[in-house]
Amino acid sequence: GCLMSKELKMKITIINNGPYLVEGNIPLVKKTQIVSEYGEPLTWQTLDKIETPPESYALCRCGNSQHKPFCDGTHQRVPFDGKETAITDGSEENKRKLPGGKHLIVYVDSDLCMSSGFCNLRNIGLVNLVLDSEDTMKRSLAMAMIERCPSGALTYQIEPDEPEIEPDLPKEIANSIEITSDGPIEGPLWVTGYIPIVRSDGMPFVARNRVTLCRCGQSRNKPLCDGTHRHNAEWESFWKK
């Protein structure tokens, strides 16, 4: 009934060389990575909800707004090339299957990856866990890693002829935009719950349960985050040493 029509209004439109226009009262939430003492990402923690204007608001995409996460028009003064080059159709050509996998078949879509690092711990990574997935403990850890991947680059199924398993997101973030951070590093916008995203030329993206959008302005796969913000932050701290 009316719930459906309310959800249908939720939409993110990319403005040509400008911000993300968010419509339909989509909640905006701050989330941060919980990391181990070695800096390994372990899980996500919700910090707080951000007050948003009613109905619609614009989120910064160029990375230069003084009122982040909101757009303040800086992109009109500071040149910003927001050209959108990411594929929209969710085609499978960049999807590869990880080798091994007993009762666990894992796919990696490099087009969606933004290097958030949930797939690697200091002493073991997802690739090895999948190779050893007849060990139930390793299989369980692999599944947890995949489900925490914000970009949806990692997916899994249990048997070849079964559907892919997509994590049931907690109700409070089922349809929302999360402003992510990794300690002091600002992360991408994490859009969850199949919210429609439309390119500036009107072309819709395939709807996904989770996807990460660039908000530093530097991704080479806009509007998707490709992890550039992280590499830039690492370079900055390297030069400051």
Side-chain angles (χ1 to χ4, degrees), residues 150-163:
S151 66
L154 298 170
T155 48
Y156 72 98
Q157 59 198 125
I158 305 298
E159 301 297 345
D161 47 358
E162 291 178 6

Side-chain angles (χ1 to χ4, degrees), residues 13-239:
T13 309
I14 296 157
I15 306 299
N16 189 29
N17 292 328
Y20 298 105
L21 178 63
V22 180
E23 296 170 282
N25 286 322
I26 302 175
L28 197 56
V29 181
K30 265 192 177 158
K31 260 187 161 358
T32 189
Q33 287 188 359
I34 299 289
V35 296
S36 74
E37 61 276 34
Y38 301 108
E40 308 154 306
L42 301 174
T43 188
W44 290 99
Q45 179 184 21
T46 300
L47 300 177
D48 50 14
K49 196 170 177 243
I50 300 171
E51 284 296 310
T52 54
E55 296 303 320
S56 67
Y57 52 91
L59 294 177
C60 173
R61 189 161 77 92
C62 72
N64 294 321
S65 168
Q66 298 298 301
H67 296 288
K68 281 184 199 161
F70 300 104
C71 167
D72 67 353
T74 301
H75 62 276
Q76 291 164 340
R77 298 189 308 277
V78 179
F80 167 57
D81 177 9
K83 190 172 190 297
E84 302 141 57
T85 54
I87 54 168
T88 55
D89 60 358
S91 72
E92 308 282 294
E93 62 201 48
N94 284 315
K95 220 172 173 178
R96 57 190 180 88
K97 190 174 136 187
L98 290 188
K102 188 107 165 99
H103 307 304
L104 179 68
I105 300 158
V106 177
Y107 298 96
V108 182
D109 187 332
S110 53
D111 258 1
L112 295 172
C113 175
M114 45 76 64
S115 312
S116 77
F118 281 98
C119 50
N120 276 302
L121 296 173
R122 203 168 41 103
N123 47 7
I124 195 156
L126 185 64
V127 172
N128 298 57
L129 290 170
V130 174
L131 279 172
D132 296 341
S133 59
E134 65 273 19
D135 176 332
T136 315
M137 190 169 81
K138 291 184 176 176
R139 193 187 321 160
S140 166
L141 180 54
M143 289 172 173
M145 282 180 167
I146 295 164
E147 292 189 355
R148 289 183 196 125
C149 165
S151 66
L154 298 170
T155 48
Y156 72 98
Q157 59 198 125
I158 305 298
E159 301 297 345
D161 47 358
E162 291 178 6
E164 287 185 353
I165 294 176
E166 200 34 74
D168 288 330
L169 297 164
K171 197 167 175 350
E172 65 274 12
I173 64 153
N175 297 101
S176 66
I177 299 173
E178 280 92 54
I179 307 284
T180 65
S181 64
D182 166 9
I185 302 176
E186 289 188 353
L189 299 173
W190 184 13
V191 180
T192 51
Y194 300 99
I195 294 171
I197 298 173
V198 181
R199 237 168 43 171
S200 59
D201 60 4
M203 181 93 167
F205 279 87
V206 73
R208 296 183 183 277
N209 187 28
R210 38 193 176 138
V211 68
T212 43
L213 300 178
C214 169
R215 69 183 185 111
C216 73
Q218 307 293 315
S219 169
R220 289 176 295 276
N221 192 31
K222 293 186 183 80
L224 302 179
C225 168
D226 67 354
T228 299
H229 67 280
R230 181 177 289 263
H231 303 305
N232 289 353
E234 279 166 11
W235 271 110
E236 273 172 34
S237 62
F238 174 77
W239 287 114

